[in-house]
Amino acid sequence: QVQLVESGGGLVQAGGSLRLSCAASGITFITSAMGWYRQAPGKQRELVAAITRGGSTKYADSVKGRFAISRDNAKNTVYLQMNGLKPDDTAVYYCHLDSPGSSWGQGTQVTVSS
């Protein structure tokens, strides 16, 4: 059974930083591609960042240069370092198993105050 457990969300002032973590179990993490997505109120869920099993990354244009995705295969964990946070970054952030298969975490709230 796949489990993805996010942590690290919270309330932060604009310009601040947060680091999200997603601990995975029930998968062969080292061969899995992972992603971070977010959904703001009234908006569709969108890709924030993704990382392949080889460590290649891609980012939404809105977060390039501010966010960084990384993975620690020894800990079965994927991270999202978020710097220079803006009020528009406010959303529920979800960890996702992109491949093989598909599975979502429960989400963690990130709120950025102006």
Side-chain angles (χ1 to χ4, degrees), residues 20-106:
L20 305 183
S21 300
C22 171
S25 59
I27 62 173
T28 305
F29 185 80
I30 199 168
T31 60
S32 298
M34 304 295 296
W36 285 99
Y37 296 72
R38 68 186 180 187
Q39 187 166 20
K43 295 188 177 181
Q44 288 190 327
R45 193 172 297 189
E46 62 176 0
L47 173 70
V48 176
I51 187 165
T52 68
R53 63 182 186 178
S56 298
T57 58
K58 66 177 179 181
Y59 297 92
D61 287 344
S62 59
V63 306
K64 281 180 183 176
R66 300 188 297 124
F67 291 12
I69 188 171
S70 62
R71 62 191 297 155
D72 185 336
N73 290 334
K75 295 183 178 179
N76 284 8
T77 300
V78 60
Y79 303 98
L80 184 67
Q81 178 67 44
M82 305 186 293
N83 300 324
L85 283 161
K86 305 175 181 179
D88 283 350
D89 296 318
T90 295
V92 178
Y93 284 70
Y94 297 90
C95 179
H96 183 251
L97 168 65
D98 286 347
S99 69
S102 176
S103 186
W104 293 97
Q106 83 285 355

